[in-house]
Every structure is written in structure tokens, then in C-alpha cells.
Amino acid sequence: MPGTDGVDRRGLLKIAGGTLAALGLTAAGCGGGSGSADGTVTLRYAWWGSEDRAKRINETIALFEKKHPKIKVKTDFQPYLDFWKKFNTQASGGNPPDVFQNAIGFLRKYDAKNVLLDLNQQVKAGNLSMGNFRAGLEKFGEVDGKLLGVPVGSNSMALVIDKKVFARAGVTPEPGWTWDDFHRAMRTIRQTQGRSGDTGYYGVMYLYDLYLRQQGKAFFTEDGLGFTEADLTDWWTTGYEGVKAGVYADPKKIAQVRPKSGVTAEIGACEFTWDNFTVRYSSEGTSDYGLAPIPTMDGRKTGQYLGSLMLSASRRTKHPEEAARFIDFMVHDPEVGRIMGYDRGVLTTTEQYAAFEPADDVNKEIAAYEKRLVDSGVLEKITPHPAGADVAESAFLRIAEEMAMGKRSVGDAVEQFFTESKTALGA
């Protein structure tokens, strides 16, 4: 999912799972925001991200305050892990930010702890519009009939490839190619280019979710896991055998180059990630990089959906109307779209999508990739994530890496994952 801003997700989640899981959270007391005698309201707005994202967001806030002089916005941004540490501390004290960046894996978790404001009332009151969203994204932040987040940018899983390596190997991924085609292509690259094919697909939870969805299953149900130990054994056995054969990259080498990508470090020729992360490859590496389609089981069903970062509001905010108006401005105002660009993914509302015309080749390719997904009709609704999904994702990544390094057998890895996940998900 988007939003980790170039921090390698394998390393980040290995830390984040244990860190976030260890932080308890109960919401109590009153919340953020303040007011003044002249009717001016101050909202607190927090997000994770880079300095560049902070610069862009501060520009949009200045624009908002100019158009809404009675609403001031106090900002706070942190790197990903620091953001969630601080957020947990604030929320446990009943004082979370009025508005904050959020992601799908945290909606049920914090809703269950009474942290998130149901924005439906603000929609009914006319303070927040959920119209003009692309490709059904207006439904992305809905959980059990409640509107807990409003999407600000969309992305989808893709295969990032080193175009030069693929071309030299004579491999051309096309829409509808199968997993058999993919594994065969990885062997061809290894045999002809002296480089591993993929950098570690077997540990990407969101990719495995797509693989399961292609078979009518899913990684998560609303309250637990949607697959069996036998399913995961097959997936990880293929990955383990590929690592031992050198078809897939040595995870020890991948770990050594982090946070740099194994593709730009020229260890592997491709890796699965979110499409909007493609920007990092051109800045890190010296080759040409592009987006390839997700392999399928049947030549058609990819299991894909559009994911998104979101803006959520605190249930404890003293100013729900102003918080809703702020969110509305941030997702609909065309000038905000021009300022933010694709920093958090492809813009979600038609007003902002039309306002931003990407000038560089990378962002043009990201936009074209998502347009093909929408036009092809392959997109589905995202699988609901139960509370504890973030911990399960972290465990999946960590245990898959331990398995690939030979620290665990496949059978032991599968058993350990199910044990940890059932505990995290309360199953």
C-alpha cells in the first residue's frame, strides 16, 4: 500500500509489526482542536511521509486557510513508524489529531477502539461530498456501513521490471500472462542474464492476496484469514525452491542493500510492489524501469483492486464540521490536486485527476497503468481487513524471509504464521 515514502517495506514492516502490536490503545476523554473568541477554529492535522510531502501539504494548507479564514490548521508529520508511535500515545490519552492520514489496514483496528469518526453525518449535512470519485473509490473507506476514511490517492499492485534486462532475455510480459509464464520467464532471465528474476514475491502479502482472489479466495475475511495452511504451503514451497535454484534473489543479498531496491541494486530483474512506488526506481538506479501486468491463473482474472491512502477524522474532535470541510477541500479542490500530484497515488476525484497533468514519463506510466486497469474491467472491491491485519502482514513478511533464508522449514514457517496471525486477529 502507498505511503511509506521510499522506506523499504520489508524492513519497515519487520520493525513495525512488533512495534505497533506492542502498543495498546484505548480512547477516552476529550479530543483535539481548539477555538477562539472570534470564532476561529484550529484543527490538528497529522500524516506520515517525506519532507517533500510535507512541503506539498503545507502549500495546500495555506490555500485552504486563505479560502477558509476562520479555520486554522496546525500540522505534524513524522516518518511512518514514528507517526504510529505518536498516534497511539495521543489516541490512548483521548487526544488524537482532528484529521490524520490513514490506511485500510488500520480502519477496523481503530474503529474497534472508538478512535475514528463516522463521517456519514457530515456527508448528510453537506460538509463533505463523496461524489466524483474515480472507479468506485468512494467506497474504499467504508466499514460496516460507517464512513471512516476518504481516499486521497489510488494505487494498485504491479510488477516493476528492469526493461533492459527483460528485453535482452526476450521476455515481454503481456496482459493475461499466467503464473506459469511468469515462473518460466524468471528462469529464462536467470539462465540468460546471470541475474535472479524476482526479488522475493513470496513474501508480499498483498500479492498473495491477489493470487488467492484469482481462485475465489482472499487473504482476509472480515474476521480472520481466508485461506488454509495447505494454500500457503504451496505458495511458499514454490518460492523456497526458486530461491534455492537462484531463480529468485538470495534474501540475504536483498537485506544487505536495503533500503535500496534489489532491482536497482541489480540483484533481481523485477519485483512486485504498488504502482506509485515506481518513482523510486528511476531515482535509485541507472537502467530503465517500467510496469508490467500481474500474472493470472486463467488469462483474465487478476484479483486487483485500487488501494488508497485516506484522510480520517477523530471521533474526539471538537470540530467535526470543520474537520469534514477540510477533508472535502483536500480531496476535491483542483489546485490541491495540482500541488500534490501523485505523491500519495493517482488522484482519486475527477476534479483533481483532471487538474493534474503528469509531465514526467514515470508518472505518465503510472496513470496509464491504472487507466488500463479501469478500462479493462478487471478491478474488484478490496477485501475487508479485520483488526490486527497490520500485525498479520508484518508476520507474513518476516516469516517468509526466515523461510527463504533457511532459518525455518516451509512447514514450520506456515505453522508459525498461522499461530501468530490467529492471535493477532483474535481467531
Side-chain angles (χ1 to χ4, degrees), residues 43-47 96-101 311-314 322-324 326-327:
L43 299 175
R44 292 163 51 223
Y45 174 35
W47 68 92
D98 298 276
V99 178
F100 50 94
Q101 191 169 282
L311 296 182
S312 293
S314 167
E322 289 82 1
F326 177 70
I327 293 173

Side-chain angles (χ1 to χ4, degrees), residues 67 329 332-339 351-352 355-356:
K67 294 186 177 182
F329 183 85
H332 289 287
D333 185 83
E335 183 60 24
V336 170
R338 282 189 284 270
I339 293 170
E351 301 99 318
Q352 293 190 347
F356 176 71

Side-chain angles (χ1 to χ4, degrees), residues 26-33 44 89-98 114-115 314-319:
T26 56
C30 296
R44 292 163 51 223
T89 299
Q90 292 172 327
S92 64
N95 192 36
D98 298 276
N114 296 317
V115 174
S314 167
R315 188 174 178 180
R316 305 302 191 208
T317 182
K318 297 175 182 177
H319 308 291

